[in-house]
Amino acid sequence: MITRAESYHKPALLQESIDGLDIQPDGVYIDLTYGGGGHSREILRRLGPKGRLYGFDQDEDAEKNIVDDDRFTFVRSNFRYVKQWMRYFREERIRGILADLGVSSHHLDDETRGFSFRFEEAPLDMRMNKRAARTAADVVNGYSEEQLASLFYLYGELKSGRKIAAAIVKARSQKPLATTRDLLEVAEPLMGRDREKKDLARLFQALRIEVNHEMDALRDMLVGATQILDEGGRLSIITYHSLEDRLVKNVMRAGNVEGRVEQDFYGRVKSPFHLINNKVITPTDEEIENNPRSRSAKLRIAEKV
């Protein structure tokens, strides 16, 4: 029988990402993207009685999956505040931090949330945190044509982004765009049939990133994680698109989100991290077959020095 947590989200690269943490039984660990708790349960399985795990998630739905374990603390918060929360809990020696940056199966399969273009009657919402004020409808109906074109290009890498932005502005002058269908009727005619699904996914990705301030949150999280990890602690992060992967790679290689390389007197790169895997870890064919949403997953692991 499949449990609610298992149906909520099937974690990608589960063993590889947890192996990468090199878990010490008495260590303190953080799962920054709790979701269905798949990664957290595997971490707890490897922890001893004195170990500690904190799970972060800003979505109230994730709270229904909280594991009953005295070693676990759930934090309902955006992971960008991880440094502040660890200060609150007086945790000073973090041995490992994990983040799976993908959208959960739960979000994509919940037609009331508006994350997927599969549900045409879904509201244009896309909020990870239901308490947040701004929705995707607010973006498409309130942003200027130039603002829309910019976010479609930056966050969706859409070549037709400017045309889509112009079409949205024209359509909303007749009536507000409120549902997935409203947006599809505007955008689909501007996409080639051979790339339609891929471009629609990029369009929805761009709106989701904007609604949830995902890139800003990721930058803050990476800076905070770098500062709170103990020497020898591990950072294990799974990414799914080039924008977030670039930030993660920059931090692990250069120690900053800009990728600005600093060298010492001998020309050696100064970075707070040592790369555990120089080449990204990707899912096996078997995993992709069992979990198609893991197809674009990339795992990077680094150790604090």
Side-chain angles (χ1 to χ4, degrees), residues 38-54:
H39 286 106
S40 283
R41 285 177 173 80
E42 182 61 22
I43 293 172
L44 288 167
R45 192 180 70 80
R46 303 187 190 194
L47 282 179
K50 294 183 179 179
R52 190 91 201 137
L53 173 64
Y54 293 88

Side-chain angles (χ1 to χ4, degrees), residues 162-216:
R162 187 165 294 279
K163 291 181 179 179
I164 295 173
I168 287 174
V169 171
K170 181 179 179 180
R172 76 190 189 193
S173 68
Q174 304 300 316
K175 67 166 187 173
L177 306 185
T179 66
T180 298
R181 176 180 298 189
D182 293 337
L183 182 57
L184 293 178
E185 287 177 350
V186 174
E188 280 183 317
L190 301 173
M191 298 175 176
R193 288 297 173 189
D194 58 327
R195 294 182 54 84
E196 185 177 274
K197 286 189 176 181
K198 182 173 289 187
D199 283 350
L200 282 175
R202 288 184 172 187
L203 174 64
F204 275 63
Q205 171 186 293
L207 287 170
R208 190 200 75 231
I209 290 174
E210 179 70 10
V211 167
N212 297 288
H213 306 284
E214 290 183 26
M215 301 311 293
D216 290 335

Side-chain angles (χ1 to χ4, degrees), residues 10-282:
K10 191 171 185 178
L13 294 166
L14 176 62
Q15 297 301 323
E16 295 90 339
S17 60
I18 307 303
D19 287 347
L21 289 175
D22 188 29
I23 290 176
Q24 308 301 305
D26 296 343
V28 178
Y29 293 85
I30 307 171
D31 179 355
L32 289 172
T33 48
Y34 184 77
H39 286 106
S40 283
R41 285 177 173 80
E42 182 61 22
I43 293 172
L44 288 167
R45 192 180 70 80
R46 303 187 190 194
L47 282 179
K50 294 183 179 179
R52 190 91 201 137
L53 173 64
Y54 293 88
F56 279 68
D57 207 298
Q58 60 184 327
D59 191 344
E60 64 183 23
D61 288 354
E63 292 189 69
K64 300 170 185 175
N65 303 319
I66 293 177
V67 62
D68 183 15
D69 193 305
D70 291 339
R71 301 167 297 169
F72 178 76
T73 299
F74 182 81
V75 183
R76 187 179 172 191
S77 172
N78 191 302
F79 62 28
R80 72 191 306 172
Y81 304 115
V82 61
K83 178 182 176 181
Q84 293 88 330
W85 276 105
M86 289 304 101
R87 185 184 299 136
Y88 171 79
F89 287 116
R90 298 182 179 179
E91 295 286 7
E92 298 180 349
R93 302 192 66 183
I94 309 301
R95 294 298 305 173
I97 298 176
L98 175 132
D100 180 350
L101 302 179
V103 182
S104 74
S105 306
H106 169 74
H107 288 136
L108 292 171
D109 294 339
D110 185 347
E111 58 187 279
T112 68
R113 304 293 293 271
F115 284 97
S116 173
F117 55 83
R118 290 182 292 126
F119 307 111
E120 294 191 359
E121 299 305 321
L124 285 175
D125 192 321
M126 302 193 193
R127 291 172 299 170
M128 295 287 190
N129 180 358
K130 294 179 182 178
R131 297 180 294 189
R134 184 171 60 180
T135 67
D138 294 325
V139 173
V140 298
N141 291 301
Y143 277 28
S144 69
E145 182 177 329
E146 189 62 34
Q147 287 175 310
L148 288 172
S150 293
L151 80 90
F152 294 153
Y153 175 74
L154 291 173
Y155 296 156
E157 300 176 294
L158 282 165
K159 294 180 180 178
S160 56
R162 187 165 294 279
K163 291 181 179 179
I164 295 173
I168 287 174
V169 171
K170 181 179 179 180
R172 76 190 189 193
S173 68
Q174 304 300 316
K175 67 166 187 173
L177 306 185
T179 66
T180 298
R181 176 180 298 189
D182 293 337
L183 182 57
L184 293 178
E185 287 177 350
V186 174
E188 280 183 317
L190 301 173
M191 298 175 176
R193 288 297 173 189
D194 58 327
R195 294 182 54 84
E196 185 177 274
K197 286 189 176 181
K198 182 173 289 187
D199 283 350
L200 282 175
R202 288 184 172 187
L203 174 64
F204 275 63
Q205 171 186 293
L207 287 170
R208 190 200 75 231
I209 290 174
E210 179 70 10
V211 167
N212 297 288
H213 306 284
E214 290 183 26
M215 301 311 293
D216 290 335
L218 179 56
R219 290 185 185 94
D220 290 348
M221 179 273 279
L222 289 170
V223 171
T226 300
Q227 294 172 347
I228 65 176
L229 264 178
D230 195 16
E231 183 178 331
R234 294 283 185 90
L235 188 60
S236 180
I237 301 184
I238 304 168
T239 66
Y240 292 83
H241 59 77
S242 60
L243 299 172
E244 59 193 18
D245 188 58
R246 188 177 304 122
L247 292 182
V248 173
K249 182 169 64 175
N250 285 347
V251 166
M252 290 186 175
R253 291 185 181 275
N256 56 79
V257 292
E258 298 84 10
R260 184 181 62 255
V261 175
E262 297 181 8
Q263 298 178 327
D264 62 16
F265 179 78
Y266 299 100
R268 295 173 297 198
V269 175
K270 296 166 62 177
S271 172
F273 290 108
H274 163 70
L275 294 177
I276 299 301
N277 58 318
N278 285 304
K279 185 177 180 181
V280 294
I281 298 170
T282 56

